[in-house]
Amino acid sequence: MTCWNILGLTPDADSRAIKRQYAALLKKTRPDDDPEGFQRLREAYEQALQWSQEQQDTVEVAIEHMGETVEVVTEHVEETLEQRYQAAMANGTALFFEIHLLHRCVDGELNAEDARWAFQAFNWLTAWQRLELPVELIDTLERQHRAALQQPLRLALEQKDESAFLAAYAARDEHPWVHNHPHGEWFNEWLAKLLAQSHFWSSAVFDAVCAGQGWHGGADPNCPADDWALLLKRQQGPAFLARQRALAAEPPYSPQQRAARLLLAPMSLGQRRAFAQRLSEDDWKACQTLSADIYAEHVVVAEAMPGGTVYFWQDWDKAMDTWPWVVALVLSCLVGVLEKAEFLAGNGVPTLGHGLLWSLAFVVGAGLAWQGWRPLAHHYRVQDEAFSQRLPGWLSPTHLPLLPVRDLVPGLVLVAILGYLFGPLASATLIAALALIGVIKRPGMSRHTPWTASHPRWTLLGAALGVVGVIALYAGLVLLDNGHRVVRNQGLQQWTERLCSRMPRSDAECQAPATQKQWYGQEAAQ
């Protein structure tokens, strides 16, 4: 242990700093409490003072005889710098020479050749460098050279330049300190995290780094365990994507195949929305797992998806796009009951109420039936998919094959029930309403917006139009009823309100047939 370690100072400390430090340590190390510690402190203090005085005298002599030995150490060839260092060693100023050279290196005043010689001659950033060097300068030098090593590697990955990264990685040998402890361990861990977290991936880059860093698949891969598992997963990424694309092209018989089809199949956004209506809870879990893998390891693939995100289907798993069926059922019931109404009897408005009651019963009944039918139909999804391949494509407005068990059977049952209760016009109204809503919805399905996204302006406009439509329908039915309703003193009135009701039956004016005045009463005179 040197006197500088005991005092906690660097060799370039002057006599004033040595005295001040000695006075501070003397309060903690008293002769009565620790005689041996006090003796060591005193000897270190005297040695430091002597060293400081000798170095000051030597530097002054060296400056007089050597001129620019200390001040000018740059812009010389390697041999000149070596000779000046040998002269400084002979004069006893080697430590000051090295410290001054370290200052110049940190300030960037040394060219690459002189800096390389200084690193090799003084073993900077290695276990063999001088202990007397200022810690602040060594820390600054370490940060600068680590940044110089990191920047080209990180920039090459950000620019997705494979050749530039390989060249920068091969140039690490120009920094021999990086192979020494603890810098080698630092560089190994940093490089693993850089590759694991980078959006760009190259198998050639991974193979080159594995060969250079000694990474392998044994029990000790010489790479951080978490990063190594992720790197292996990313290396297998092309094979993973190829396997998922193959699943997307197969018939969707399993949750994994359906998840791959929704995310990776070449379908339009509208077709993806239509396909999403057929997914179950297990299918959405498979979508979540596959989306997480693509988001973490295949950013380029994710950016090419609708909306630039792999989670474009967000909220689709919670959305129930059943309002077209509700609207179509209500319209069908209203048309059916109004078709059978006897308008000349003046009961159009009550008929409208009956239609609303029928539509409510149909909506509730169809909803309950669908809750039981959907899981049952999904249980036979494989057979349903096979049957759908035999159906003509024009049956589906989204160009996706309809599922007979899941889609056609419930629709045909509703059409048959409406036709049986209300007639063929109600069945035709159901089909026409669904087709019209599909045509209206189609432009919106090609935009990347969740089904549950709220649009207050359009929602209010639709609600207002609905209210106006209901009011107009009610007013029209009231006018229709009033045009065919018999009022007081009109038509076949009761006998007590007729003109001859209080006159003798034998009166000539009251004999049948009755006159217009007798029949219509006071209204005949108007």
Side-chain angles (χ1 to χ4, degrees):
M1 181 177 294
T2 65
C3 61
W4 307 110
N5 298 122
I6 296 175
L7 294 174
L9 296 173
T10 58
D12 57 345
D14 56 11
S15 59
R16 181 179 299 178
I18 295 174
K19 293 177 181 178
R20 189 164 49 247
Q21 183 70 3
Y22 173 70
L25 294 176
L26 194 59
K27 297 178 182 179
K28 303 177 182 179
T29 307
R30 296 183 177 277
D32 299 337
D33 299 335
D34 187 5
E36 296 182 359
F38 172 74
Q39 184 65 27
R40 287 194 301 269
L41 178 62
R42 183 65 185 181
E43 293 176 356
Y45 168 67
E46 294 175 353
Q47 292 177 7
L49 282 179
Q50 183 178 0
W51 167 270
S52 177
Q53 186 63 37
E54 290 177 356
Q55 294 303 316
Q56 184 177 358
D57 296 341
T58 305
V59 169
E60 293 176 357
V61 174
I63 292 175
E64 293 178 358
H65 293 282
M66 299 179 60
E68 298 177 352
T69 301
V70 179
E71 286 79 1
V72 183
V73 294
T74 57
E75 299 181 2
H76 290 281
V77 295
E78 185 175 350
E79 293 77 11
T80 303
L81 197 58
E82 172 69 23
Q83 292 175 357
R84 293 182 178 276
Y85 176 57
Q86 294 296 335
M89 291 180 62
N91 294 327
T93 60
L95 178 59
F96 285 90
F97 181 89
E98 182 178 351
I99 293 175
H100 189 77
L101 200 63
L102 181 59
H103 271 287
R104 304 291 289 248
C105 185
V106 169
D107 294 339
E109 298 178 2
L110 288 183
N111 56 41
E113 186 177 356
D114 289 344
R116 191 180 303 111
W117 177 89
F119 268 88
Q120 183 178 1
F122 302 123
N123 295 313
W124 288 342
L125 303 182
T126 69
W128 297 276
Q129 69 183 5
R130 287 180 184 266
L131 298 177
E132 296 85 0
L133 296 177
V135 178
E136 295 80 4
L137 289 178
I138 291 296
D139 291 342
T140 303
L141 183 69
E142 180 179 337
R143 288 194 300 269
Q144 289 180 349
H145 281 72
R146 284 189 176 185
L149 181 64
Q150 292 172 315
Q151 183 178 2
L153 295 173
R154 185 186 294 111
L155 184 61
L157 289 184
E158 291 176 355
Q159 297 178 349
K160 302 178 181 180
D161 193 339
E162 178 182 294
S163 58
F165 183 91
L166 294 177
Y169 181 68
R172 75 190 185 284
D173 293 334
E174 299 178 1
H175 307 272
W177 55 269
V178 79
H179 301 292
N180 300 319
H181 176 78
H183 310 294
E185 290 78 1
W186 160 82
F187 181 68
N188 193 62
E189 294 178 2
W190 175 83
L191 194 59
K193 291 190 179 298
L194 177 67
L195 295 181
Q197 298 174 1
S198 173
H199 290 177
F200 173 69
W201 181 262
S202 169
S203 297
V205 166
F206 178 72
D207 293 338
V209 173
C210 285
Q213 299 298 122
W215 296 347
H216 55 79
D220 184 12
N222 198 32
C223 179
D226 296 339
D227 295 329
W228 178 245
L230 182 57
L231 291 173
L232 286 180
K233 198 172 183 180
R234 297 197 68 179
Q235 178 67 357
Q236 298 168 358
F240 170 80
L241 277 181
R243 183 167 62 255
Q244 294 301 320
R245 295 187 189 279
L247 289 177
E250 296 176 357
Y253 294 157
S254 68
Q256 289 72 26
Q257 290 171 325
R258 290 189 282 272
R261 170 168 289 197
L262 178 66
L263 296 178
L264 299 174
M267 296 190 297
S268 65
L269 185 60
Q271 291 173 335
R272 295 178 196 269
R273 288 182 187 271
F275 184 75
Q277 290 183 325
R278 307 178 177 185
L279 301 185
S280 64
E281 291 297 327
D282 293 337
D283 299 335
W284 288 117
K285 291 179 181 178
C287 287
Q288 183 69 35
T289 302
L290 181 58
S291 298
D293 292 338
I294 295 177
Y295 177 80
E297 304 164 20
H298 308 281
V299 180
V300 177
V301 177
E303 291 175 350
M305 292 186 177
T309 173
V310 71
Y311 293 103
F312 63 88
W313 51 268
Q314 189 175 10
D315 293 336
W316 289 6
D317 56 336
K318 305 179 184 63
M320 294 295 294
D321 196 26
T322 56
W323 68 267
W325 281 97
V326 174
V327 173
L329 284 174
V330 172
L331 291 178
S332 302
C333 293
L334 292 178
V335 171
V337 297
L338 291 176
E339 179 190 8
K340 294 187 175 183
E342 297 180 2
F343 294 107
L344 294 179
N347 59 353
V349 174
T351 301
L352 179 64
H354 294 159
L356 291 177
L357 290 177
W358 272 108
S359 63
L360 178 62
F362 263 94
V363 169
V364 174
L368 294 176
W370 176 248
Q371 295 301 320
W373 181 257
R374 183 180 182 184
L376 180 63
H378 197 81
H379 183 70
Y380 296 97
R381 180 66 180 269
V382 175
Q383 295 81 356
D384 210 9
E385 289 285 351
F387 293 153
S388 68
Q389 301 299 325
R390 303 178 183 179
L391 296 177
W394 57 267
L395 284 178
S396 176
T398 59
H399 305 292
L400 291 178
L402 285 176
L403 301 179
V405 176
R406 183 187 181 279
D407 300 327
L408 289 183
V409 171
L412 292 177
V413 169
L414 282 177
V415 169
I417 295 176
L418 287 171
Y420 176 78
L421 293 176
F422 305 115
L425 183 59
S427 301
T429 302
L430 178 67
I431 298 174
L434 290 176
L436 180 61
I437 293 174
V439 172
I440 296 174
K441 282 182 58 180
R442 181 169 295 183
M445 295 180 70
S446 62
R447 296 191 298 267
H448 178 249
T449 53
W451 286 340
T452 56
S454 60
H455 300 283
R457 180 182 303 175
W458 294 106
T459 302
L460 293 176
L461 180 59
L465 291 177
V467 172
V468 172
V470 171
I471 294 175
L473 178 62
Y474 178 80
L477 290 175
V478 170
L479 292 176
L480 184 63
D481 284 348
N482 291 336
H484 298 85
R485 181 176 289 120
V486 178
V487 298
R488 184 179 180 86
N489 298 324
Q490 179 179 356
L492 296 177
Q493 302 163 19
Q494 295 186 7
W495 178 259
T496 56
E497 295 182 8
R498 293 181 181 176
L499 179 64
C500 297
S501 61
R502 298 180 181 180
M503 299 179 68
R505 182 177 300 180
S506 60
D507 192 287
E509 296 181 357
C510 295
Q511 300 297 317
T515 63
Q516 183 178 7
K517 182 177 181 180
Q518 292 174 334
W519 185 260
Y520 289 101
Q522 298 177 357
E523 294 183 2
Q526 296 178 358

